């Protein structure tokens, strides 16, 4: 019993006000797997890469309990490439380039050995591919979580609407929630989006934390105030990995447990931004994670006496 992670595995080129990276390893499913593997194993990965993707990166993930049977390698093609530039606030960014390459004609095949999985994390990817993975699952997973972005709202909205009908939890950032719903108020946006299919909605607000909506309930988790944010790339995916990793570990899909999962996700995201790319995620230990989660508990813990 385990977790399937679907999403891009990629090369990124990142510019922040503090520095610039060469082509480094990125991709939604890469970040999700690094993050979730701290909580649950095995993780069964579905993705596609070109012949240029370093084999050592896949081997490092395998050493973390990530099964790569469902990662197709198209030897004669190039991996997905994304480049972005962050604004001074580090909360907003412009996409400079998106080269789909291997993603353009990707037909995912879910291996038979993945069919026992109870949890499905659909990381950022072509909505039709996310849909194809759901349709290949012989048994409906206990929880299907989907992450997406503005890029797909702009070029594949009908496919996105289609897949949204089949997911339990949607994760987007605040501007994407507004774009998807056509509402500025996030509370109104949440109502519109939950009518599109997902029963739960998580709205990520970068350094301002994250909101969880379900029916009439709302929960808010802050982001850890950090002195230096080096590179926010992958923070959303790392958050997703912590969230689904905790849910898969506990097998509890209640709203109460989702609150804890959001704190775990926020703690993981706070590591991701401390160094460029996946560097920080590759070096942290279980003890580091536990200590960081405790910092979150302290951050929001207060007693109040009403008179
Ligand atoms: P995040 O900062 O969490 O939104 O995720 C950044 C990661 O998403 C980068 O490593 C990119 O490779 C990946 N990415 C960017 N655009 C797309 C896209 N259109 N589809 C899939 N993955 C993407």
């Amino acid at each position: 019993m385990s977790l399937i992670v679907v999403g891009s595995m990629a090369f990124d080129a990142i510019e922040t006000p503090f520095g610039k990276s060469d082509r480094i390893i990125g991709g939604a499913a890469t970040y999700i797997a690094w993050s979730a593997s701290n909580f649950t194993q095995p993780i069964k990965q579905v993705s596609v890469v070109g012949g240029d993707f370093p084999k050592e990166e896949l081997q490092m993930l395998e050493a973390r309990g990530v099964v790569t049977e469902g990662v197709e390698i198209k030897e004669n093609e190039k991996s997905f490439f994304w480049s972005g530039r962050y604004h001074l606030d580090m909360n907003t960014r412009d996409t400079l380039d998106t080269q789909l390459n291997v993603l353009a004609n990707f037909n995912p095949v879910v291996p038979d050995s993945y069919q026992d999985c109870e949890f499905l994390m659909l990381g950022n990817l072509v909505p039709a591919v996310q849909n194809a993975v759901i349709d290949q699952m012989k048994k409906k997973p206990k929880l299907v979580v989907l992450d997406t972005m503005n890029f797909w709202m702009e070029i594949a909205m009908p496919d996105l609407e289609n897949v949204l009908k089949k997911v339990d939890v949607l994760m987007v950032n605040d501007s994407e929630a507004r774009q998807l719903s056509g509402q500025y108020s996030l509370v109104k946006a949440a109502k519109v989006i939950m009518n599109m299919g997902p029963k739960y909605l998580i709205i990520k607000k970068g350094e301002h934390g994250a909101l969880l909506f379900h029916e009439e309930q709302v929960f808010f988790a802050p982001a850890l105030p950090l002195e230096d944010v080096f590179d926010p790339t992958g923070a959303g995916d790392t958050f997703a990995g912590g969230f689904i990793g905790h849910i898969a570990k506990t097998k509890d899909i209640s709203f109460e447990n989702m609150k804890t999962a959001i704190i775990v996700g926020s703690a993981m995201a706070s590591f991701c931004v401390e160094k460029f790319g996946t560097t920080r995620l590759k070096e942290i230990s279980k003890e580091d994670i536990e200590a960081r989660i405790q910092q979150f508990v302290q951050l929001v813990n207060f007693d109040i006496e009403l008179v």
Side-chain angles (χ1 to χ4, degrees):
M1 296 297 165
S2 50
L3 166 66
I4 298 182
V5 169
V6 185
S8 56
M9 297 182 80
F11 285 115
D12 292 342
I14 300 152
E15 286 177 38
T16 75
F18 312 106
K20 204 171 164 176
S21 77
D22 293 327
R23 262 162 46 109
I24 56 172
I25 296 296
T30 312
Y31 284 102
I32 296 170
W34 275 105
S35 177
S37 57
N38 288 291
F39 308 98
T40 185
Q41 291 183 6
I43 286 174
K44 300 191 173 170
Q45 194 90 337
V46 176
S47 191
V48 62
V49 294
D52 52 358
F53 198 81
K55 304 282 178 290
E56 312 81 71
E57 286 293 329
L58 294 175
Q59 286 157 3
M60 273 191 268
L61 283 169
E62 282 159 9
R64 299 271 301 201
V66 179
V67 178
T68 57
E69 192 188 341
V71 179
E72 191 184 338
I73 303 175
K74 293 189 177 174
E75 284 296 347
N76 299 321
E77 293 182 40
K78 289 205 290 189
S79 299
F80 175 76
F81 172 76
W82 175 80
S83 116
R85 184 189 294 137
Y86 288 87
H87 300 178
L88 243 193
D89 67 2
M90 292 293 251
N91 241 0
T92 45
R93 71 182 175 204
D94 297 322
T95 289
L96 302 176
D97 196 4
T98 300
Q99 295 173 17
L100 292 178
N101 300 327
V102 284
L103 269 193
N105 299 303
F106 177 42
N107 289 315
V109 178
V110 178
D112 276 347
S113 62
Y114 286 25
Q115 289 291 345
D116 60 351
C117 288
E118 285 182 300
F119 297 94
L120 177 56
M121 176 69 230
L122 297 164
N124 191 12
L125 194 72
V126 188
V129 173
Q130 295 174 316
N131 203 10
V133 171
I134 298 183
D135 286 350
Q136 284 177 52
M137 295 304 296
K138 294 187 182 129
K139 205 171 124 217
K140 193 189 172 314
K142 220 168 160 177
L143 196 74
V144 180
V145 182
L146 182 139
D147 190 357
T148 188
M149 73 186 290
N150 51 355
F151 182 79
W152 302 115
M153 294 173 198
E154 277 143 32
I155 70 162
M157 191 60 171
D159 287 341
L160 181 59
E161 282 171 339
N162 204 13
V163 69
L164 281 181
K165 293 188 187 117
K166 303 179 190 172
V167 310
D168 301 302
V169 184
L170 173 68
M171 281 182 188
V172 280
N173 68 30
D174 42 1
S175 70
E176 291 157 353
R178 290 184 173 119
Q179 185 167 346
L180 186 59
S181 64
Q183 294 289 337
Y184 188 81
S185 148
L186 292 180
V187 177
K188 285 187 183 156
K191 284 192 181 144
V192 172
I193 293 171
M194 286 191 287
N195 269 325
M196 297 168 93
K199 293 181 280 300
Y200 299 84
L201 172 69
I202 296 172
I203 301 184
K204 300 167 286 181
K205 293 164 52 104
E207 65 169 330
H208 305 298
L211 291 160
L212 166 67
F213 293 90
H214 173 57
E215 295 172 347
E216 297 305 314
Q217 305 176 81
V218 194
F219 173 71
F220 169 71
L224 195 70
L226 292 170
E227 228 170 271
D228 294 307
V229 171
F230 213 68
D231 170 22
T233 308
D237 308 313
T238 305
F239 173 95
F243 176 86
I244 195 70
H246 174 79
I247 299 275
K249 176 181 163 187
T250 54
K251 298 183 189 297
D252 173 354
I253 58 169
S254 66
F255 185 79
E256 281 308 305
N257 195 44
M258 281 190 197
K259 290 184 184 176
T260 310
I262 284 195
I263 298 290
V264 173
S266 304
M268 293 309 296
S270 75
F271 285 116
C272 176
V273 303
E274 289 177 339
K275 290 192 177 168
F276 261 115
T278 50
T279 314
R280 189 74 179 115
L281 293 181
K282 288 175 178 163
E283 51 184 43
I284 51 175
S285 65
K286 288 240 166 350
E287 292 71 38
D288 294 328
I289 295 171
E290 272 161 30
R292 188 67 54 104
I293 291 173
Q294 280 314 315
Q295 269 183 280
F296 267 86
V297 174
Q298 294 309 320
L299 182 68
V300 289
N301 202 5
F302 58 87
D303 287 324
I304 193 160
E305 246 175 66
L306 295 177
V307 281

